[in-house]
Amino acid sequence: MSLPIRSWLFVPGDSERKLAKGRDSGADALILDLEDSVAPARKPAAREMVPDYLRAHAERRPQLWVRINPIDEGGLADAAAVVRAAPDGLVVPKVNGPDDLLRVSHWLDALEARDGLPPGRIRLLAVATETAAAVLRLPEYARTPVPRLAALTWGQEDLPAAIGATGNLDASGGFALTYRYARSACLLAAVAAGAQPVDTLEQDFRDDAALRLACTAARREGFTGKIAIHPAQVAAINEGFRPTAEEVAFARRVVDAFAANPGIGTVGMEGRMLDMPHLRQAQRVLAADAAFGGHGMPSA
Ligand code: COA
Ligand code: MG
């Protein structure tokens, strides 16, 4: 039972200070960026600094992922440079459907063999909504298995640029339908593909209250994590995507109800029917709670 990565903190791959700061941010994963947060002139430096950082943090928590450049804009050279330093995964931007990920996956098959890494070890997070074609192809994830695929996320900035839109909001100030559609389709595609749905970032990193509301809303819909761009966002995301105290208490009652009826597949509790899926869900909640620091009192 692998736990979701709640907070994914982007760190520009050419910034010594931010790389140092990211380590202690409390994020479940850092995304060491070689793409859009690095100026073109700094990309060669970043391509050396990121593998150095990976090697210097071989024994580690948080997980360390690397965002490569798009497939046709240096992505292969980035992958070749970082795989030898064994990142946990690659973040692939501007992905146009699962075919693109299968292509990256084939690169990784070769690079893992070159560097003596276990086959399939390096996983993928796809930024899956950055072009018009990408959004239209989201349903393909439901029928095209990509074994390395760990997570899908959507973006709010690149798609309007790709469309030639002047903004991504509607008259009420919320996301326009195109972006809400991309977000929902991304959520469904991730779940259908057995991958983790990851919500997009909040630009205003000083607005903690808005971030907390966004986390609550995203989690209610089924997202299991969120992108961060600043260390100040990590705590709210980690709290927002762990089980609540009420959920933990309920899960404990479910587990206790089955424990009190050994060998029985269906039990009644508080006027409702519980069977194996409820037990598995309750066990998942308790495992996540324990891994994320523990709300719950020990079982009586
Ligand atoms: N990762 C690690 N450390 C970060 C960080 C990040 N994403 N963002 C800020 N910090 C550090 C700063 O270096 C600073 O520490 P220092 O004083 O020791 O240098 C501290 O946190 C406070 O930073 P602050 O002054 O509030 O922000 P800033 O103006 O320096 O940076 C951004 C603002 C948006 C430029 C910065 O947060 C950033 O680079 N975010 C990531 C952007 C990115 O990767 N985008 C790509 C994905 S869309
Ligand atoms: Mg981008």
Side-chain angles (χ1 to χ4, degrees), residues 9-12 15 17-23 25 31 33 36-37 67 201 205-206 227-231:
L9 174 62
F10 266 106
V11 185
S15 168
R17 290 186 78 105
K18 289 176 188 168
L19 287 167
K21 201 108 186 169
R23 185 177 41 227
S25 64
I31 302 175
D33 190 22
D36 281 351
S37 71
R67 181 165 73 171
L201 57 96
F205 55 80
R206 295 205 167 79
I227 303 287
I229 49 165
H230 191 287

Side-chain angles (χ1 to χ4, degrees), residues 35-36 67 94 130 158:
E35 199 214 6
D36 281 351
R67 181 165 73 171
K94 318 237 172 14
E130 294 193 306
D158 292 83

Side-chain angles (χ1 to χ4, degrees), residues 5-14 18-19 22-23 25 27-38 50 53-54 62-68 87-93 124-127 151 153 198-199 201 226-229:
I5 294 172
R6 297 166 299 172
S7 49
W8 304 75
L9 174 62
F10 266 106
V11 185
D14 68 332
K18 289 176 188 168
L19 287 167
R23 185 177 41 227
S25 64
D28 288 344
L30 303 184
I31 302 175
L32 313 176
D33 190 22
L34 299 176
E35 199 214 6
D36 281 351
S37 71
V38 180
V50 163
Y53 185 87
L54 289 166
Q63 288 200 20
L64 297 178
W65 291 57
V66 178
R67 181 165 73 171
I68 60 174
D88 292 288
L90 297 185
V91 178
V92 189
L124 298 174
L125 162 63
V127 190
T153 192
V198 177
D199 195 23
L201 57 96
K226 192 167 172 70
I227 303 287
I229 49 165

Side-chain angles (χ1 to χ4, degrees), residues 71-94:
I71 288 180
D72 295 319
E73 297 168 36
L76 175 54
D78 289 341
V82 300
V83 165
R84 14 177 136 263
D88 292 288
L90 297 185
V91 178
V92 189
K94 318 237 172 14

